[in-house]
Amino acid sequence: MISRRLQAILDINKQSYDQVWDTCCDHGYLGEAYLQRNQAQIVHFVDRVPALMTQIEHRLNALDLSNIDGIASNSVNSNEHISWQVHCLDVKELEFASEQKHLVVVAGVGGDLCADIVEAIMKKNHAENIDWVFCPVHKHETLRKKLIRLGLNVVNESLVKDKGRIYEVIHVNQSDNTPASVIGQQIWHDNPELASEYLTQKIAHFERKANSSESDVITILAQLKAVADLLRYNS
Ligand SMILES: C[S@@+](CC[C@H](N)C(=O)[O-])C[C@H]1O[C@@H](n2cnc3c(N)ncnc32)[C@H](O)[C@@H]1O
């Protein structure tokens, strides 16, 4: 069974795409779930570790996808209904078919790498055709600042707790109209109990860094404390 974190990533966006890219895919469970639920004509698995890609290729070849309908018949693999492709390369090198609608998922890596990936891909491709789902393991603010700089807007964002750890899941694109923010907005309101637990962790984290030379720590701390006051006021 898929983890709560991976399920939350899948649940944040159920739209159909021409192509879905499970980047930094490692085990490839996310891409496999997109395949199983028929969310795209082609699902791509991308990682830079060759041994991982070989394992995924073997697993996908053994997968019976024949009971999933409605997908284009231009399969690049043995299965008649579903297309998938495996790519062993640096995600930042990806180039997309410009006339198609893409979903790029980046999960399980730091916010700094997510930020580098989104910037590199947006430079090389038609950004208006790309939706993004991020689930960084840390440095969320680094990613969110990059999203603001790149003019990406938030479609949806959520929190999920998995094996004792809380994660942010962020769905963005160029066409929605809620600008990204450094600490997030919707994540603090959907599940007040989880939001309050996460807020306590974040405030403690930034308080520990308050004397560091890192820019923005004091501003972020003040913003988090303002959200904490609001949550207390509303409860
Ligand atoms: C911890 S796994 C994340 C797996 C999965 N996305 C998840 O959320 O469970 C991180 C993976 O990112 C891959 N990776 C890191 N930087 C990469 C890059 N620039 N290009 C391609 N793969 C990369 C690593 O090889 C590793 O397999």
Side-chain angles (χ1 to χ4, degrees):
M1 209 181 69
I2 205 155
S3 70
R4 287 171 66 92
R5 177 180 64 93
L6 296 184
Q7 191 60 53
I9 294 169
L10 290 163
D11 286 348
I12 203 152
N13 178 5
K14 294 184 175 157
Q15 294 168 43
S16 293
Y17 292 88
D18 296 309
Q19 310 202 21
V20 169
W21 300 80
D22 178 7
T23 74
C24 298
C25 68
D26 191 344
H27 39 70
Y29 294 150
L30 263 177
E32 190 175 328
Y34 285 112
L35 263 180
Q36 299 275 12
R37 68 182 204 179
N38 194 5
Q39 204 167 334
Q41 298 205 358
I42 306 181
V43 177
H44 300 268
F45 298 79
V46 189
D47 201 290
R48 62 182 177 193
V49 177
L52 291 172
M53 306 321 291
T54 308
Q55 274 175 25
I56 291 177
E57 202 158 12
H58 283 145
R59 202 175 75 234
L60 294 177
N61 272 323
L63 210 60
D64 179 11
L65 297 165
S66 56
N67 56 348
I68 301 175
D69 339 294
I71 276 290
S73 56
N74 60 338
S75 174
V76 293
N77 291 297
S78 55
N79 188 284
E80 282 182 7
H81 304 277
I82 305 286
S83 295
W84 51 264
Q85 291 182 346
V86 169
H87 312 266
C88 188
L89 46 75
D90 186 328
V91 175
K92 296 193 281 297
E93 303 301 320
L94 287 175
E95 294 193 29
F96 301 155
S98 60
E99 70 289 357
Q100 300 212 315
K101 184 85 184 140
H102 301 266
L103 171 66
V104 182
V105 184
V106 195
V109 295
D112 40 0
L113 178 57
C114 293
D116 290 347
I117 289 172
V118 62
E119 182 164 48
I121 291 183
M122 280 182 70
K123 255 188 205 151
K124 286 195 172 70
N125 295 282
H126 288 262
E128 66 276 13
N129 295 337
I130 307 174
D131 271 25
W132 298 86
V133 173
F134 297 101
C135 182
V137 288
H138 52 55
K139 300 200 176 172
H140 306 85
E141 293 73 21
T142 308
L143 169 62
R144 286 177 175 278
K145 280 187 234 169
K146 183 68 75 178
L147 299 180
I148 295 168
R149 228 171 289 142
L150 293 171
L152 285 162
N153 296 318
V154 176
V155 183
N156 202 356
E157 55 182 15
S158 66
L159 292 178
V160 58
K161 189 170 183 180
D162 188 16
K163 301 180 191 86
R165 186 164 177 187
I166 302 173
Y167 298 89
E168 297 181 25
V169 185
I170 311 164
H171 174 198
V172 298
N173 64 23
Q174 272 196 328
S175 45
D176 269 62
N177 49 19
T178 307
S181 63
V182 176
I183 63 161
Q185 288 179 336
Q186 199 181 326
I187 52 169
W188 307 117
H189 302 292
D190 287 348
N191 179 341
E193 208 174 304
L194 187 59
S196 161
E197 185 181 345
Y198 188 52
L199 202 47
T200 305
Q201 291 176 9
K202 294 287 279 187
I203 289 174
H205 171 77
F206 280 100
E207 275 175 342
R208 284 193 295 275
K209 289 172 75 169
N211 292 328
S212 77
S213 57
E214 248 176 83
S215 66
D216 283 4
V217 170
I218 301 299
T219 314
I220 292 171
L221 197 48
Q223 289 178 359
L224 290 168
K225 286 183 172 171
V227 175
D229 287 344
L230 189 70
L231 289 185
R232 262 194 300 275
Y233 180 79
N234 287 338
S235 66

